Amino acid sequence: MQDTARERGIALEIEELCSAKVACSPGVLTSLVSNLVDNAVKYIGDGPIKRVTVRATTERGMTRIEVRDTGPGVPRELWQTIFD
C-alpha cells in the first residue's frame, strides 16, 4: 500500500507495533488490516492533510489494531449498517 499511498500524496505511517497473539490466522489478520488501510487510502478525500496511520497496542491482555486517517469519515447515516 505504500506505493499507492505515495502516488496519491498520502503519508502512510506505521506506529507502535507490539508483539502479540491474536485469535485468527495470519491470512485473516493480513486481509482485515489490508482492507482497512485500502479503504482509508481510497476514501481519504481532498483535505489538506492526507495521512493514514496503523498502530497495534496491547493492554490488559487485549490487542487493539487501529487504522486512522484524516479523511471525512463514514457518513452518520451509514453507521448502523456499515458492517452488514
Side-chain angles (χ1 to χ4, degrees), residues 8 12 18 25 28 41 47 50 63 68-69 80-82:
R8 300 184 81 200
L12 179 54
C18 62
S25 71
V28 168
V41 167
K50 295 182 180 183
T63 300
R68 293 179 169 225
D69 64 73
Q80 294 297 317
T81 58
I82 193 165

Side-chain angles (χ1 to χ4, degrees), residues 2-84:
Q2 282 285 10
D3 291 338
T4 302
R6 193 175 307 111
E7 288 170 6
R8 300 184 81 200
I10 301 167
L12 179 54
E13 301 172 350
I14 309 299
E15 287 187 358
E16 188 180 337
L17 292 177
C18 62
S19 177
K21 292 183 180 181
V22 293
C24 67
S25 71
V28 168
L29 183 60
T30 299
S31 180
L32 173 69
V33 174
S34 293
N35 284 336
L36 292 172
V37 171
D38 183 54
N39 283 341
V41 167
K42 190 182 298 182
Y43 299 110
I44 200 156
D46 294 324
I49 299 173
K50 295 182 180 183
R51 181 181 309 118
V52 175
T53 306
V54 180
R55 173 182 12 200
T57 57
T58 299
E59 185 177 317
R60 292 180 279 171
M62 301 290 286
T63 300
R64 178 185 188 119
I65 299 171
E66 297 177 358
V67 177
R68 293 179 169 225
D69 64 73
T70 57
V74 176
R76 189 174 207 78
E77 63 270 12
L78 297 179
W79 288 6
Q80 294 297 317
T81 58
I82 193 165
F83 293 109
D84 287 352

